[in-house]
Amino acid sequence: MNFVITVLTLTVRFSAALLIASLGEMFNQRSGIFNLGCEGIMCMGAFMGMLIPFSYAGAEAVPFYINLLGLLGGLASGIVLGLFFGLIVITFRAPQGIAGIGLQMLGVGIAGTLFRSYIGGTQSISGISSFDIPLLSQIPVVGKIFFTHNPIVYIAYLMVPLASYIIFKTPWGMKVRAVGTNPRAADSLGINVNRIRYQALATGGAMAGLAGAFLTLCQAKMFNADIISGRGFIAVALVYFGHWKPSRIMFGAILFTFAQTLQTQIQIFVPSFKYYEFLNMLPYVLVIAVLAISRESNKLGPSALGKPFNREMRT
Amino acid sequence: MQNEKDQITNLRLEHITKRFPGVLACDDISLEIGKSEVLALVGENGAGKTTLMNIIMGLYQPDSGSIFINGQEVHLKTPNDAFDCGIGMVHQQYMLVPNMTVLENIALGMKDCWKTAKVDLKLVRDRIKEVSEKYGLAVDPDAFIWQLSVGEQQRVELVKTLCLGARFLILDEPTSALTPQETDELIVLLKRMSEELSIIFISHKLQEVAALSNKVAILRHGAVVFQGNTAEHSTSDIAALMTGHEVKLPENTEPPCQGEDALVIKDLCVKSDRGFMALDHLSLSVRNGEILGIAGVSGNGQRELAESITGLRRTSGGTITAFGDEIQNHTPNHIIRHGIGYIPEERNTEGIVPSMSIKENIILKDSSQSRFCSHTFLKQKYIAQYAENLRQRFDIRCPGINTAAGSLSGGNIQKVILAREIDRKPRFLVCVYPIRGLDLGAAEFIHKKLLELRKSGVGVLLISEELDELMNLSDRIAVIFKGQIQKTLDRKDATRRSLGILMAGVKDEKQL
């Protein structure tokens, strides 16, 4: 029983980063841009989340607003990288898949270099701690699973209905969906396709950066260059899995994190099992398997995904 | 900018010129449209009609020239400027977002419903209702675009344009995807609307021009070659001016043919992509040297019929027999080798590989035959000669046989496909919407070739929505409705009326 509760509690806690990043990627893809560089943006965000509190007080405890500044720093670096990606794929119309791989390497590379020159080696920070919500956390089983987390975890889950509302109810969301599905139609109605795509990339970048900063500040409380370990790529896959719908993306994020947590807990509980690489691999295989069997219904997705827009190009 | 309520009493274009790399799309065009006038803009593909309209909509910027509304010069830099002036356009390819509802599609253009946190859909709904009632255009605001037929989508486009406050309508080939009935309805509707609005419409179909417009302008190679009142000119005059020579679409005047059965289909059942029965126990037969026309509103199983004959779609029952052998569910390659040629519906995606050259597209079906290939190497010299020969015989207008096929105009792409299919000497040809979207000159050429093929003893299955095409070419016309053949008429019994009634699903005229 304890094992089950531990796995579920950690699932809720650890799914937050993945959830924020994949909701961000949903905005990218809804606007027609496929950002494989999510991993790189997250890495840069994670580094900012380390840099700001560390340069204030090293490993010592810092005031909450400094940690908050760390999160904002991650978010801001994400916006910058998102807009930079936009410059490449929107303005210069570079192929998105290739540019995305480049962005991933760029983000990881810059973060790694800066980390070594400013911080040196592995250092820990105090970070933002989890706390128990009074009363609610006292409920047996459920209380532990749901109400003993970091404030950012709750914010991540609140982002699901919020993202859903933004994408389906607001004028901006409507425009994002239109430019991702039929940019010519949006253009003919006087909507600036490229501007909306830049905005969506900035939004997605901000969320990926925030997710990265969350990883260092709230989850690992340290930074190293492979802290993201494929979460950015999983985020891209989850958007497909979730058919570009926030609620289904949340389900995917929980499913993946559950598999991930389960396998790490098995490693802890059964230390005699030799082939831990095999266990490490399993959650990723799960994602591939689920993507392979879930039939794509393209009718409701962004059908212009991956295609640069050029008004004077005749089709 | 004009006031919302102002009528556009006069729109004048002066000396509009627009160049694209290598093409002069609009060459010093001047036009004028007055109050409640309907101007028909006609011309062959690539004559510059759509470019000119996109300039009026602010989508393209002219290199030189000016636009005047009610005598005042306007600068239309973006579509928003054109909307503000009260100009609205229904594009040939509908500008709708398929995964959004009708309501949302219209809201996309209505800036006054964009509240900070929410789209005010009620406002849009009210506006749609107002416009629908005023013009008798019924649309379901909550339907998704992908659920609607082409005709319904066009109605949404019209409602959208009107909801956005258009007082001047531009319609780019509004009937090119419509069924004959829908076309008739549209013409009635536009006539009614023209009492309050001015309209420019682009068309290839001269009957529509005659029925609807009161002025006509003809464009050729980007320049206006003729302007006048429609009533004073016959359609054949206009056709001649449009193409630069007399046009007479060829007709099949030979007696009904008595050849042997080439293709026999019995009780064919085929599922559509969406899983329902697209063909439901369909039977028909075509003789050697006969053109059998298939008339019907698109979506009644035509695509599935063509694809199951050519091996591109699995059948779930019944037989297809060609020259005595059953061919259903064989591979496309087997069926090609059996002598069945195919001119597909989507010429750009199914008929050619756009990025490959004309000569490569021409040998695509035989690239591994000894004729074009020895010891796994292509015989480049021979292929070039062969392709050059076809280019001349089929009058493919292109810079050269090494040009990418996808860069050609629709008519020339169709000629490449026709050259490939006919010169392979098929024993039978399946031909789907062969002149859809093509201009008169190209249509004339393709019809001639089909008749020559018939004369040489090849059976042809001709699927089309154009009744004139079917009545000109076919020996017999079968009407398809909901996956079954309603009735097969001899050419002499087929009229627009009798076909139209059968296409609407009525088997017996007396039921009406």
Side-chain angles (χ1 to χ4, degrees):
Chain A
M1 191 61 193
N2 255 338
F3 179 78
V4 175
I5 292 178
T6 308
V7 168
L8 292 179
T9 309
L10 292 180
T11 299
V12 172
R13 185 168 305 161
F14 292 165
S15 59
L18 198 54
L19 183 58
I20 299 173
S22 43
L23 288 175
E25 180 68 19
M26 180 204 73
F27 283 106
N28 294 340
Q29 293 196 13
R30 276 280 183 185
S31 82
I33 310 261
F34 171 72
N35 188 354
L36 261 186
C38 187
E39 177 97 2
I41 300 182
M42 285 178 81
C43 194
M44 197 63 212
F47 171 71
M48 293 302 283
M50 172 84 192
L51 180 71
I52 290 172
F54 186 81
S55 40
Y56 185 80
E60 305 298 314
V62 294
F64 183 70
Y65 74 89
I66 294 294
N67 283 329
L68 207 59
L69 221 57
L71 288 173
L72 288 178
L75 191 137
S77 68
I79 294 178
V80 172
L81 283 179
L83 292 176
F84 173 68
F85 188 62
L87 183 73
I88 294 167
V89 299
I90 300 171
T91 304
F92 298 132
R93 301 192 191 107
Q96 296 175 6
I98 310 292
I101 294 172
L103 181 68
Q104 180 249 327
M105 293 182 177
L106 181 81
V108 174
I110 294 180
T113 312
L114 292 179
F115 175 65
R116 280 215 303 147
S117 53
Y118 283 101
I119 297 173
T122 311
Q123 297 276 0
S124 59
I125 46 170
S126 63
I128 302 172
S129 330
S130 304
F131 68 98
D132 296 353
I133 295 181
L135 297 177
L136 286 175
S137 61
Q138 303 303 316
I139 307 171
V141 184
V142 178
K144 172 111 173 58
I145 295 173
F146 291 109
F147 302 110
T148 58
H149 299 297
N150 199 290
I152 311 301
V153 173
Y154 305 114
I155 292 177
Y157 278 88
L158 281 179
M159 278 182 185
V160 176
L162 188 68
S164 200
Y165 182 85
I166 290 175
I167 204 78
F168 291 113
K169 300 286 180 206
T170 65
W172 184 71
M174 188 172 73
K175 287 185 252 180
V176 169
R177 282 183 289 141
V179 301
T181 310
N182 189 350
R184 268 173 200 282
D187 186 43
S188 78
L189 290 169
I191 292 168
N192 188 329
V193 174
N194 288 350
R195 183 185 300 161
I196 297 286
R197 286 184 166 179
Y198 267 110
Q199 289 168 352
L201 276 182
T203 310
M207 291 173 76
L210 179 67
F214 168 86
L215 276 177
T216 36
L217 276 166
C218 309
Q219 199 167 314
K221 316 241 164 108
M222 54 150 296
F223 175 85
N224 67 45
D226 40 60
I227 186 171
I228 311 298
S229 62
R231 284 188 184 82
F233 292 110
I234 296 297
V236 175
L238 287 181
V239 177
Y240 276 88
F241 168 80
H243 287 195
W244 303 277
K245 286 198 189 83
S247 53
R248 283 196 55 169
I249 290 170
M250 177 182 79
F251 175 68
I254 293 174
L255 184 71
F256 175 79
T257 318
F258 175 72
Q260 181 76 288
T261 321
L262 191 65
Q263 69 89 4
T264 47
Q265 291 302 307
I266 288 173
Q267 288 188 36
I268 293 169
F269 274 72
V270 196
S272 55
F273 189 77
K274 273 199 301 195
Y275 306 106
Y276 65 91
E277 292 95 342
F278 182 80
L279 288 175
N280 284 346
M281 173 196 78
L282 285 178
Y284 299 88
V285 174
L286 177 78
V287 170
I288 298 173
V290 169
L291 273 180
I293 51 174
S294 67
R295 278 274 181 82
E296 226 176 297
S297 75
N298 263 335
K299 252 176 213 131
L300 297 173
S303 44
L305 185 59
K307 294 176 193 148
F309 175 67
N310 182 355
R311 181 191 280 168
E312 304 214 347
M313 256 282 276
R314 306 190 170 190
T315 43
Chain B
M1 292 296 125
Q2 308 292 303
N3 184 299
E4 265 275 355
K5 298 289 160 222
D6 273 358
Q7 275 249 338
I8 294 184
T9 51
N10 182 288
L11 178 104
R12 198 164 81 238
L13 307 178
E14 280 187 3
H15 309 294
I16 300 279
T17 301
K18 171 78 182 172
R19 272 184 197 82
F20 285 112
V23 195
L24 183 59
C26 295
D27 181 8
D28 194 30
I29 292 177
S30 299
L31 283 175
E32 187 167 4
I33 303 103
K35 196 181 166 200
S36 297
E37 277 186 341
V38 180
L39 171 77
L41 201 55
V42 299
E44 301 197 284
N45 292 324
K49 302 166 304 224
T50 303
T51 307
L52 184 66
M53 293 305 108
N54 281 335
I55 289 173
I56 300 181
M57 284 313 293
L59 283 163
Y60 294 159
Q61 298 309 310
D63 297 333
S64 64
S66 27
I67 301 172
F68 296 86
I69 291 178
N70 296 348
Q72 258 182 313
E73 180 162 7
V74 290
H75 297 281
L76 306 168
K77 298 268 179 238
T78 70
N80 284 327
D81 295 342
F83 297 145
D84 290 341
C85 293
I87 307 171
M89 174 160 174
V90 176
H91 296 260
Q92 187 180 7
Q93 285 168 322
Y94 299 149
M95 295 294 185
L96 297 168
V97 183
N99 62 358
M100 307 206 313
T101 61
V102 170
L103 214 49
E104 285 182 312
N105 265 283
I106 293 172
L108 263 180
M110 271 176 68
K111 292 183 187 53
D112 43 342
C113 75
W114 299 353
K115 302 283 146 46
T116 347
K118 193 169 177 295
V119 182
D120 189 352
L121 288 177
K122 181 156 186 314
L123 194 72
V124 187
R125 201 181 287 274
D126 292 345
R127 184 87 64 90
I128 294 176
K129 195 157 172 258
E130 196 182 303
V131 167
S132 298
E133 279 169 7
K134 184 167 173 195
Y135 295 100
L137 278 160
V139 293
D140 172 7
D142 296 305
F144 280 94
I145 299 299
W146 62 265
Q147 296 170 320
L148 303 179
S149 72
V150 176
E152 287 169 317
Q153 290 187 23
Q154 184 176 52
R155 216 160 350 155
V156 174
E157 277 280 20
L158 274 172
V159 171
K160 179 174 91 179
T161 313
L162 295 168
C163 283
L164 302 185
R167 286 148 283 142
F168 187 101
L169 273 185
I170 299 172
L171 306 166
D172 190 355
E173 294 197 32
T175 60
S176 62
L178 298 188
T179 64
Q181 281 85 351
E182 285 170 332
T183 303
D184 293 344
E185 284 168 25
L186 181 72
I187 287 178
V188 172
L189 175 77
L190 291 178
K191 273 211 151 141
R192 200 164 64 228
M193 285 169 52
S194 70
E195 288 162 16
E196 299 181 33
L197 306 159
S198 310
I199 298 175
I200 297 183
F201 85 102
I202 297 178
S203 184
H204 284 312
K205 297 177 189 166
L206 299 178
Q207 292 136 326
E208 289 163 18
V209 172
L212 187 58
S213 67
N214 40 38
K215 275 170 80 177
V216 59
I218 299 172
L219 254 60
R220 192 165 0 125
H221 304 308
V224 176
V225 293
F226 172 82
Q227 278 194 73
N229 291 328
T230 318
E232 295 161 15
H233 303 275
S234 72
T235 49
S236 54
D237 288 349
I238 295 175
L241 281 162
M242 194 165 116
T243 52
H245 62 92
E246 285 285 324
V247 178
K248 180 133 179 28
L249 283 178
E251 283 180 39
N252 178 356
T253 49
E254 315 232 333
C257 101
Q258 304 297 334
E260 302 219 338
D261 280 343
L263 182 87
V264 181
I265 295 178
K266 271 215 171 74
D267 290 329
L268 185 65
C269 295
V270 176
K271 282 206 180 102
S272 77
D273 291 339
R274 281 192 270 171
F276 62 84
M277 274 296 168
L279 296 182
D280 181 11
H281 296 90
L282 177 139
S283 301
L284 59 81
S285 68
V286 190
R287 296 191 171 117
N288 285 324
E290 176 185 57
I291 297 183
L292 176 73
I294 302 283
V297 178
S298 74
N300 273 297
Q302 289 96 325
R303 163 173 281 270
E304 288 80 5
L305 176 62
E307 288 182 347
S308 47
I309 298 172
T310 50
L312 297 167
R313 187 180 284 270
R314 289 198 73 79
T315 64
S316 42
T319 58
I320 304 172
T321 314
F323 312 106
D325 298 315
E326 287 195 9
I327 57 165
Q328 74 274 9
N329 295 334
H330 277 285
T331 61
N333 187 43
H334 175 95
I335 291 167
I336 290 169
R337 303 288 155 237
H338 202 66
I340 295 187
Y342 182 34
I343 295 181
E345 176 177 357
E346 301 284 345
R347 61 181 78 102
N348 288 304
T349 51
E350 296 174 285
I352 57 163
V353 181
S355 57
M356 281 169 43
S357 68
I358 294 170
K359 69 173 186 199
E360 287 169 323
N361 272 291
I362 278 179
I363 60 153
L364 212 50
K365 282 191 170 172
D366 299 293
S367 57
S368 54
Q369 303 292 305
S370 59
R371 198 171 159 206
F372 296 120
C373 169
S374 76
H375 308 99
T376 76
F377 289 102
L378 289 173
K379 298 179 183 169
Q380 292 290 3
K381 240 189 208 155
Y382 175 69
I383 292 169
Q385 268 173 18
Y386 174 74
E388 185 58 39
N389 174 291
L390 286 191
R391 183 180 80 87
Q392 284 165 13
R393 275 171 46 215
F394 283 83
D395 188 29
I396 300 165
R397 289 176 210 167
C398 59
I401 50 166
N402 294 314
T403 313
S407 68
L408 303 180
S409 70
N412 283 307
I413 290 177
Q414 194 70 314
K415 286 179 189 170
V416 171
I417 299 170
L418 201 70
R420 176 180 72 211
E421 296 303 324
I422 289 185
D423 210 66
R424 296 184 71 253
K425 310 226 168 12
R427 292 198 284 173
F428 187 82
L429 184 69
V430 179
C431 191
V432 189
Y433 307 121
I435 61 162
R436 185 189 260 181
L438 300 190
D439 57 60
L440 274 176
E444 181 188 16
F445 182 86
I446 285 161
H447 282 178
K448 258 189 204 146
K449 287 289 172 193
L450 288 178
L451 287 178
E452 280 171 22
L453 197 65
R454 171 191 180 278
K455 208 161 187 185
S456 69
V458 175
V460 177
L461 183 77
L462 172 67
I463 297 178
S464 175
E465 279 184 327
E466 305 254 357
L467 295 184
D468 292 327
E469 176 178 33
L470 289 167
M471 292 192 296
N472 280 348
L473 298 184
S474 312
D475 296 282
R476 290 182 299 144
I477 301 176
V479 179
I480 192 169
F481 180 74
K482 291 199 175 153
Q484 291 182 322
I485 297 296
Q486 286 281 88
K487 200 172 181 183
T488 306
L489 302 173
D490 286 333
R491 181 175 62 229
K492 60 177 174 21
D493 304 326
T495 59
R496 289 186 78 84
R497 182 178 153 77
S498 60
L499 290 173
I501 289 169
L502 284 165
M503 280 163 71
V506 184
K507 262 196 181 163
D508 194 345
E509 207 174 321
K510 287 172 201 111
Q511 284 178 9
L512 277 180

